[in-house]
Amino acid sequence: MSLYETSIRVKHECPYREISERYPDLTIREWPLSDCQVLEITAETTPTDELLDDINQIGTVLHESEDDNGYHVVTQSCLCSLDQSIIDRFEEHNCLYQSPTIYRQGWEHYTVVAFDSEDIRELLGDLRADREIELLSKTSISETQIPHSMLAPANQLFEDITDRQLAALQLALERGYYEQPRKTSLRDLAEQTAVARSTYEEHLRKAENKLLTNAGQFLRLVTATSTADPLEVDKTGQTEQPAD
């Protein structure tokens, strides 16, 4: 089975795209999370007061620096009015969106991965119906290659996991519960919280189950190009059963 990695650029109404159009030497990288966006903004020249005002208006500045390599800032934005329909369309056409989205010189740059080239063709036709779009590249990924961009977006990995379940998972990870040999027990972990052991264990098991379920689509994508059977799973069904 082949994989296809496709890069496109799009123009439609979007605050980040408009900023990149006004400042041609600017590059904006966007990582969408469940309820906000993290933006990395870089420029080769010293930012003007006007640019700084625009950056302050789109979100909370988390980091800012300037050196010989230029200007660099990381912000967190909660512009809920942003158009998410394009990412929804990726999923409708069985295409896996690969973050970040890159905004440069008035264009939005996206990368998607698909199992079938026909899915990509239909996606491009759908997008061309209501926005300006250009195909930049379409690459068939060989069975021995997996793109470096094959990273699951955090919001998809942790989708539907509650705050308490995440807290239970983080505590177990930080205290060495998943190390070999384990450095702690469920009893010890629960004693560090204000909940009963049974309640803590329930939060942890649900978090583990949801995390693995969410990661399943990416696991299947990574293993789809491999013909190896290291556990010899296929051979188990071929083993002859002894006669009664």
mmCIF file with all atom_site columns, all heavy atoms in Angstrom, residues 16 28-31 37-41 58-59 73-77 103:
data_model
loop_
_atom_site.group_PDB
_atom_site.id
_atom_site.type_symbol
_atom_site.label_atom_id
_atom_site.label_alt_id
_atom_site.label_comp_id
_atom_site.label_asym_id
_atom_site.label_entity_id
_atom_site.label_seq_id
_atom_site.pdbx_PDB_ins_code
_atom_site.Cartn_x
_atom_site.Cartn_y
_atom_site.Cartn_z
_atom_site.occupancy
_atom_site.B_iso_or_equiv
_atom_site.pdbx_formal_charge
_atom_site.auth_seq_id
_atom_site.auth_comp_id
_atom_site.auth_asym_id
_atom_site.auth_atom_id
_atom_site.pdbx_PDB_model_num
ATOM 1   N N   . TYR A 1 16  ? -4.337 35.438 10.223 1.00 0.00 ? 16  TYR A N   1
ATOM 2   C CA  . TYR A 1 16  ? -2.918 35.120 10.147 1.00 0.00 ? 16  TYR A CA  1
ATOM 3   C C   . TYR A 1 16  ? -2.404 35.283 8.713  1.00 0.00 ? 16  TYR A C   1
ATOM 4   O O   . TYR A 1 16  ? -1.298 35.781 8.487  1.00 0.00 ? 16  TYR A O   1
ATOM 5   C CB  . TYR A 1 16  ? -2.658 33.698 10.637 1.00 0.00 ? 16  TYR A CB  1
ATOM 6   C CG  . TYR A 1 16  ? -3.219 33.402 12.006 1.00 0.00 ? 16  TYR A CG  1
ATOM 7   C CD1 . TYR A 1 16  ? -3.629 32.119 12.355 1.00 0.00 ? 16  TYR A CD1 1
ATOM 8   C CD2 . TYR A 1 16  ? -3.353 34.406 12.966 1.00 0.00 ? 16  TYR A CD2 1
ATOM 9   C CE1 . TYR A 1 16  ? -4.144 31.842 13.609 1.00 0.00 ? 16  TYR A CE1 1
ATOM 10  C CE2 . TYR A 1 16  ? -3.869 34.142 14.219 1.00 0.00 ? 16  TYR A CE2 1
ATOM 11  C CZ  . TYR A 1 16  ? -4.272 32.853 14.540 1.00 0.00 ? 16  TYR A CZ  1
ATOM 12  O OH  . TYR A 1 16  ? -4.782 32.580 15.782 1.00 0.00 ? 16  TYR A OH  1
ATOM 13  N N   . ILE A 1 28  ? 4.720  32.615 9.722  1.00 0.00 ? 28  ILE A N   1
ATOM 14  C CA  . ILE A 1 28  ? 3.900  32.225 10.869 1.00 0.00 ? 28  ILE A CA  1
ATOM 15  C C   . ILE A 1 28  ? 3.644  30.730 10.785 1.00 0.00 ? 28  ILE A C   1
ATOM 16  O O   . ILE A 1 28  ? 3.166  30.227 9.769  1.00 0.00 ? 28  ILE A O   1
ATOM 17  C CB  . ILE A 1 28  ? 2.564  32.982 10.891 1.00 0.00 ? 28  ILE A CB  1
ATOM 18  C CG1 . ILE A 1 28  ? 2.797  34.497 10.909 1.00 0.00 ? 28  ILE A CG1 1
ATOM 19  C CG2 . ILE A 1 28  ? 1.728  32.552 12.104 1.00 0.00 ? 28  ILE A CG2 1
ATOM 20  C CD1 . ILE A 1 28  ? 1.520  35.312 10.815 1.00 0.00 ? 28  ILE A CD1 1
ATOM 21  N N   . ARG A 1 29  ? 3.957  30.015 11.857 1.00 0.00 ? 29  ARG A N   1
ATOM 22  C CA  . ARG A 1 29  ? 3.663  28.586 11.941 1.00 0.00 ? 29  ARG A CA  1
ATOM 23  C C   . ARG A 1 29  ? 2.599  28.376 13.019 1.00 0.00 ? 29  ARG A C   1
ATOM 24  O O   . ARG A 1 29  ? 2.782  28.833 14.146 1.00 0.00 ? 29  ARG A O   1
ATOM 25  C CB  . ARG A 1 29  ? 4.919  27.775 12.248 1.00 0.00 ? 29  ARG A CB  1
ATOM 26  C CG  . ARG A 1 29  ? 5.962  27.829 11.139 1.00 0.00 ? 29  ARG A CG  1
ATOM 27  C CD  . ARG A 1 29  ? 7.231  27.102 11.529 1.00 0.00 ? 29  ARG A CD  1
ATOM 28  N NE  . ARG A 1 29  ? 8.198  27.073 10.429 1.00 0.00 ? 29  ARG A NE  1
ATOM 29  C CZ  . ARG A 1 29  ? 9.056  28.045 10.153 1.00 0.00 ? 29  ARG A CZ  1
ATOM 30  N NH1 . ARG A 1 29  ? 9.075  29.146 10.910 1.00 0.00 ? 29  ARG A NH1 1
ATOM 31  N NH2 . ARG A 1 29  ? 9.883  27.944 9.137  1.00 0.00 ? 29  ARG A NH2 1
ATOM 32  N N   . GLU A 1 30  ? 1.549  27.666 12.668 1.00 0.00 ? 30  GLU A N   1
ATOM 33  C CA  . GLU A 1 30  ? 0.415  27.490 13.583 1.00 0.00 ? 30  GLU A CA  1
ATOM 34  C C   . GLU A 1 30  ? 0.236  26.021 13.942 1.00 0.00 ? 30  GLU A C   1
ATOM 35  O O   . GLU A 1 30  ? 0.132  25.164 13.071 1.00 0.00 ? 30  GLU A O   1
ATOM 36  C CB  . GLU A 1 30  ? -0.874 28.001 12.941 1.00 0.00 ? 30  GLU A CB  1
ATOM 37  C CG  . GLU A 1 30  ? -2.122 27.725 13.781 1.00 0.00 ? 30  GLU A CG  1
ATOM 38  C CD  . GLU A 1 30  ? -3.404 27.864 12.984 1.00 0.00 ? 30  GLU A CD  1
ATOM 39  O OE1 . GLU A 1 30  ? -3.334 28.098 11.758 1.00 0.00 ? 30  GLU A OE1 1
ATOM 40  O OE2 . GLU A 1 30  ? -4.472 27.708 13.578 1.00 0.00 ? 30  GLU A OE2 1
ATOM 41  N N   . TRP A 1 31  ? 0.192  25.746 15.249 1.00 0.00 ? 31  TRP A N   1
ATOM 42  C CA  . TRP A 1 31  ? -0.141 24.416 15.753 1.00 0.00 ? 31  TRP A CA  1
ATOM 43  C C   . TRP A 1 31  ? -1.508 24.508 16.432 1.00 0.00 ? 31  TRP A C   1
ATOM 44  O O   . TRP A 1 31  ? -1.639 25.105 17.506 1.00 0.00 ? 31  TRP A O   1
ATOM 45  C CB  . TRP A 1 31  ? 0.899  23.945 16.760 1.00 0.00 ? 31  TRP A CB  1
ATOM 46  C CG  . TRP A 1 31  ? 2.188  23.506 16.142 1.00 0.00 ? 31  TRP A CG  1
ATOM 47  C CD1 . TRP A 1 31  ? 2.540  22.244 15.759 1.00 0.00 ? 31  TRP A CD1 1
ATOM 48  C CD2 . TRP A 1 31  ? 3.329  24.327 15.834 1.00 0.00 ? 31  TRP A CD2 1
ATOM 49  N NE1 . TRP A 1 31  ? 3.806  22.230 15.230 1.00 0.00 ? 31  TRP A NE1 1
ATOM 50  C CE2 . TRP A 1 31  ? 4.313  23.487 15.260 1.00 0.00 ? 31  TRP A CE2 1
ATOM 51  C CE3 . TRP A 1 31  ? 3.604  25.699 15.964 1.00 0.00 ? 31  TRP A CE3 1
ATOM 52  C CZ2 . TRP A 1 31  ? 5.546  23.960 14.845 1.00 0.00 ? 31  TRP A CZ2 1
ATOM 53  C CZ3 . TRP A 1 31  ? 4.822  26.174 15.547 1.00 0.00 ? 31  TRP A CZ3 1
ATOM 54  C CH2 . TRP A 1 31  ? 5.784  25.309 14.999 1.00 0.00 ? 31  TRP A CH2 1
ATOM 55  N N   . GLN A 1 37  ? -4.711 28.195 19.499 1.00 0.00 ? 37  GLN A N   1
ATOM 56  C CA  . GLN A 1 37  ? -3.622 27.950 18.554 1.00 0.00 ? 37  GLN A CA  1
ATOM 57  C C   . GLN A 1 37  ? -2.321 28.481 19.154 1.00 0.00 ? 37  GLN A C   1
ATOM 58  O O   . GLN A 1 37  ? -2.318 29.523 19.795 1.00 0.00 ? 37  GLN A O   1
ATOM 59  C CB  . GLN A 1 37  ? -3.868 28.673 17.217 1.00 0.00 ? 37  GLN A CB  1
ATOM 60  C CG  . GLN A 1 37  ? -5.140 28.272 16.495 1.00 0.00 ? 37  GLN A CG  1
ATOM 61  C CD  . GLN A 1 37  ? -6.321 29.099 16.949 1.00 0.00 ? 37  GLN A CD  1
ATOM 62  O OE1 . GLN A 1 37  ? -6.195 30.260 17.313 1.00 0.00 ? 37  GLN A OE1 1
ATOM 63  N NE2 . GLN A 1 37  ? -7.492 28.493 16.938 1.00 0.00 ? 37  GLN A NE2 1
ATOM 64  N N   . VAL A 1 38  ? -1.249 27.730 18.949 1.00 0.00 ? 38  VAL A N   1
ATOM 65  C CA  . VAL A 1 38  ? 0.084  28.211 19.305 1.00 0.00 ? 38  VAL A CA  1
ATOM 66  C C   . VAL A 1 38  ? 0.750  28.663 18.022 1.00 0.00 ? 38  VAL A C   1
ATOM 67  O O   . VAL A 1 38  ? 0.806  27.915 17.039 1.00 0.00 ? 38  VAL A O   1
ATOM 68  C CB  . VAL A 1 38  ? 0.921  27.120 19.996 1.00 0.00 ? 38  VAL A CB  1
ATOM 69  C CG1 . VAL A 1 38  ? 2.351  27.596 20.196 1.00 0.00 ? 38  VAL A CG1 1
ATOM 70  C CG2 . VAL A 1 38  ? 0.301  26.748 21.335 1.00 0.00 ? 38  VAL A CG2 1
ATOM 71  N N   . LEU A 1 39  ? 1.238  29.905 17.998 1.00 0.00 ? 39  LEU A N   1
ATOM 72  C CA  . LEU A 1 39  ? 1.837  30.491 16.808 1.00 0.00 ? 39  LEU A CA  1
ATOM 73  C C   . LEU A 1 39  ? 3.312  30.792 17.054 1.00 0.00 ? 39  LEU A C   1
ATOM 74  O O   . LEU A 1 39  ? 3.671  31.371 18.091 1.00 0.00 ? 39  LEU A O   1
ATOM 75  C CB  . LEU A 1 39  ? 1.127  31.787 16.428 1.00 0.00 ? 39  LEU A CB  1
ATOM 76  C CG  . LEU A 1 39  ? -0.387 31.733 16.210 1.00 0.00 ? 39  LEU A CG  1
ATOM 77  C CD1 . LEU A 1 39  ? -0.926 33.129 15.954 1.00 0.00 ? 39  LEU A CD1 1
ATOM 78  C CD2 . LEU A 1 39  ? -0.728 30.825 15.057 1.00 0.00 ? 39  LEU A CD2 1
ATOM 79  N N   . GLU A 1 40  ? 4.141  30.400 16.111 1.00 0.00 ? 40  GLU A N   1
ATOM 80  C CA  . GLU A 1 40  ? 5.549  30.787 16.115 1.00 0.00 ? 40  GLU A CA  1
ATOM 81  C C   . GLU A 1 40  ? 5.749  31.770 14.970 1.00 0.00 ? 40  GLU A C   1
ATOM 82  O O   . GLU A 1 40  ? 5.505  31.436 13.813 1.00 0.00 ? 40  GLU A O   1
ATOM 83  C CB  . GLU A 1 40  ? 6.455  29.583 15.925 1.00 0.00 ? 40  GLU A CB  1
ATOM 84  C CG  . GLU A 1 40  ? 7.936  29.962 15.927 1.00 0.00 ? 40  GLU A CG  1
ATOM 85  C CD  . GLU A 1 40  ? 8.832  28.793 15.544 1.00 0.00 ? 40  GLU A CD  1
ATOM 86  O OE1 . GLU A 1 40  ? 8.363  27.897 14.814 1.00 0.00 ? 40  GLU A OE1 1
ATOM 87  O OE2 . GLU A 1 40  ? 9.992  28.798 15.965 1.00 0.00 ? 40  GLU A OE2 1
ATOM 88  N N   . ILE A 1 41  ? 6.156  32.982 15.287 1.00 0.00 ? 41  ILE A N   1
ATOM 89  C CA  . ILE A 1 41  ? 6.283  34.048 14.295 1.00 0.00 ? 41  ILE A CA  1
ATOM 90  C C   . ILE A 1 41  ? 7.746  34.447 14.204 1.00 0.00 ? 41  ILE A C   1
ATOM 91  O O   . ILE A 1 41  ? 8.378  34.771 15.215 1.00 0.00 ? 41  ILE A O   1
ATOM 92  C CB  . ILE A 1 41  ? 5.418  35.265 14.691 1.00 0.00 ? 41  ILE A CB  1
ATOM 93  C CG1 . ILE A 1 41  ? 3.957  34.830 14.878 1.00 0.00 ? 41  ILE A CG1 1
ATOM 94  C CG2 . ILE A 1 41  ? 5.517  36.364 13.636 1.00 0.00 ? 41  ILE A CG2 1
ATOM 95  C CD1 . ILE A 1 41  ? 3.071  35.913 15.462 1.00 0.00 ? 41  ILE A CD1 1
ATOM 96  N N   . ILE A 1 58  ? -3.335 39.478 18.282 1.00 0.00 ? 58  ILE A N   1
ATOM 97  C CA  . ILE A 1 58  ? -3.785 38.136 17.922 1.00 0.00 ? 58  ILE A CA  1
ATOM 98  C C   . ILE A 1 58  ? -3.628 37.118 19.045 1.00 0.00 ? 58  ILE A C   1
ATOM 99  O O   . ILE A 1 58  ? -4.136 36.004 18.934 1.00 0.00 ? 58  ILE A O   1
ATOM 100 C CB  . ILE A 1 58  ? -3.045 37.614 16.665 1.00 0.00 ? 58  ILE A CB  1
ATOM 101 C CG1 . ILE A 1 58  ? -1.553 37.439 16.943 1.00 0.00 ? 58  ILE A CG1 1
ATOM 102 C CG2 . ILE A 1 58  ? -3.272 38.510 15.478 1.00 0.00 ? 58  ILE A CG2 1
ATOM 103 C CD1 . ILE A 1 58  ? -0.804 36.811 15.789 1.00 0.00 ? 58  ILE A CD1 1
ATOM 104 N N   . GLY A 1 59  ? -2.945 37.475 20.130 1.00 0.00 ? 59  GLY A N   1
ATOM 105 C CA  . GLY A 1 59  ? -2.830 36.498 21.209 1.00 0.00 ? 59  GLY A CA  1
ATOM 106 C C   . GLY A 1 59  ? -1.901 36.940 22.316 1.00 0.00 ? 59  GLY A C   1
ATOM 107 O O   . GLY A 1 59  ? -1.354 38.045 22.305 1.00 0.00 ? 59  GLY A O   1
ATOM 108 N N   . VAL A 1 73  ? 8.975  35.166 18.007 1.00 0.00 ? 73  VAL A N   1
ATOM 109 C CA  . VAL A 1 73  ? 7.978  35.283 19.066 1.00 0.00 ? 73  VAL A CA  1
ATOM 110 C C   . VAL A 1 73  ? 7.043  34.083 19.007 1.00 0.00 ? 73  VAL A C   1
ATOM 111 O O   . VAL A 1 73  ? 6.729  33.568 17.931 1.00 0.00 ? 73  VAL A O   1
ATOM 112 C CB  . VAL A 1 73  ? 7.178  36.608 18.951 1.00 0.00 ? 73  VAL A CB  1
ATOM 113 C CG1 . VAL A 1 73  ? 6.409  36.670 17.635 1.00 0.00 ? 73  VAL A CG1 1
ATOM 114 C CG2 . VAL A 1 73  ? 6.213  36.777 20.122 1.00 0.00 ? 73  VAL A CG2 1
ATOM 115 N N   . VAL A 1 74  ? 6.622  33.608 20.185 1.00 0.00 ? 74  VAL A N   1
ATOM 116 C CA  . VAL A 1 74  ? 5.642  32.525 20.292 1.00 0.00 ? 74  VAL A CA  1
ATOM 117 C C   . VAL A 1 74  ? 4.431  33.077 21.032 1.00 0.00 ? 74  VAL A C   1
ATOM 118 O O   . VAL A 1 74  ? 4.572  33.690 22.102 1.00 0.00 ? 74  VAL A O   1
ATOM 119 C CB  . VAL A 1 74  ? 6.217  31.312 21.047 1.00 0.00 ? 74  VAL A CB  1
ATOM 120 C CG1 . VAL A 1 74  ? 5.140  30.232 21.217 1.00 0.00 ? 74  VAL A CG1 1
ATOM 121 C CG2 . VAL A 1 74  ? 7.422  30.752 20.313 1.00 0.00 ? 74  VAL A CG2 1
ATOM 122 N N   . THR A 1 75  ? 3.250  32.890 20.456 1.00 0.00 ? 75  THR A N   1
ATOM 123 C CA  . THR A 1 75  ? 2.028  33.393 21.071 1.00 0.00 ? 75  THR A CA  1
ATOM 124 C C   . THR A 1 75  ? 1.002  32.274 21.177 1.00 0.00 ? 75  THR A C   1
ATOM 125 O O   . THR A 1 75  ? 1.064  31.270 20.472 1.00 0.00 ? 75  THR A O   1
ATOM 126 C CB  . THR A 1 75  ? 1.402  34.547 20.262 1.00 0.00 ? 75  THR A CB  1
ATOM 127 O OG1 . THR A 1 75  ? 0.813  34.016 19.060 1.00 0.00 ? 75  THR A OG1 1
ATOM 128 C CG2 . THR A 1 75  ? 2.426  35.586 19.898 1.00 0.00 ? 75  THR A CG2 1
ATOM 129 N N   . GLN A 1 76  ? 0.066  32.489 22.075 1.00 0.00 ? 76  GLN A N   1
ATOM 130 C CA  . GLN A 1 76  ? -1.102 31.603 22.186 1.00 0.00 ? 76  GLN A CA  1
ATOM 131 C C   . GLN A 1 76  ? -2.327 32.422 21.836 1.00 0.00 ? 76  GLN A C   1
ATOM 132 O O   . GLN A 1 76  ? -2.570 33.478 22.416 1.00 0.00 ? 76  GLN A O   1
ATOM 133 C CB  . GLN A 1 76  ? -1.228 31.044 23.602 1.00 0.00 ? 76  GLN A CB  1
ATOM 134 C CG  . GLN A 1 76  ? -2.456 30.159 23.805 1.00 0.00 ? 76  GLN A CG  1
ATOM 135 C CD  . GLN A 1 76  ? -2.495 29.564 25.194 1.00 0.00 ? 76  GLN A CD  1
ATOM 136 O OE1 . GLN A 1 76  ? -1.531 28.943 25.647 1.00 0.00 ? 76  GLN A OE1 1
ATOM 137 N NE2 . GLN A 1 76  ? -3.598 29.761 25.892 1.00 0.00 ? 76  GLN A NE2 1
ATOM 138 N N   . SER A 1 77  ? -3.087 31.940 20.872 1.00 0.00 ? 77  SER A N   1
ATOM 139 C CA  . SER A 1 77  ? -4.231 32.684 20.377 1.00 0.00 ? 77  SER A CA  1
ATOM 140 C C   . SER A 1 77  ? -5.506 31.875 20.561 1.00 0.00 ? 77  SER A C   1
ATOM 141 O O   . SER A 1 77  ? -5.495 30.641 20.458 1.00 0.00 ? 77  SER A O   1
ATOM 142 C CB  . SER A 1 77  ? -4.051 33.026 18.889 1.00 0.00 ? 77  SER A CB  1
ATOM 143 O OG  . SER A 1 77  ? -5.208 33.629 18.368 1.00 0.00 ? 77  SER A OG  1
ATOM 144 N N   . TYR A 1 103 ? 2.019  30.194 7.299  1.00 0.00 ? 103 TYR A N   1
ATOM 145 C CA  . TYR A 1 103 ? 1.520  31.381 6.598  1.00 0.00 ? 103 TYR A CA  1
ATOM 146 C C   . TYR A 1 103 ? 2.716  32.199 6.125  1.00 0.00 ? 103 TYR A C   1
ATOM 147 O O   . TYR A 1 103 ? 3.581  32.578 6.929  1.00 0.00 ? 103 TYR A O   1
ATOM 148 C CB  . TYR A 1 103 ? 0.643  32.220 7.534  1.00 0.00 ? 103 TYR A CB  1
ATOM 149 C CG  . TYR A 1 103 ? -0.542 31.476 8.105  1.00 0.00 ? 103 TYR A CG  1
ATOM 150 C CD1 . TYR A 1 103 ? -0.418 30.726 9.272  1.00 0.00 ? 103 TYR A CD1 1
ATOM 151 C CD2 . TYR A 1 103 ? -1.795 31.515 7.471  1.00 0.00 ? 103 TYR A CD2 1
ATOM 152 C CE1 . TYR A 1 103 ? -1.504 30.038 9.798  1.00 0.00 ? 103 TYR A CE1 1
ATOM 153 C CE2 . TYR A 1 103 ? -2.876 30.826 7.997  1.00 0.00 ? 103 TYR A CE2 1
ATOM 154 C CZ  . TYR A 1 103 ? -2.722 30.089 9.160  1.00 0.00 ? 103 TYR A CZ  1
ATOM 155 O OH  . TYR A 1 103 ? -3.800 29.396 9.674  1.00 0.00 ? 103 TYR A OH  1
#
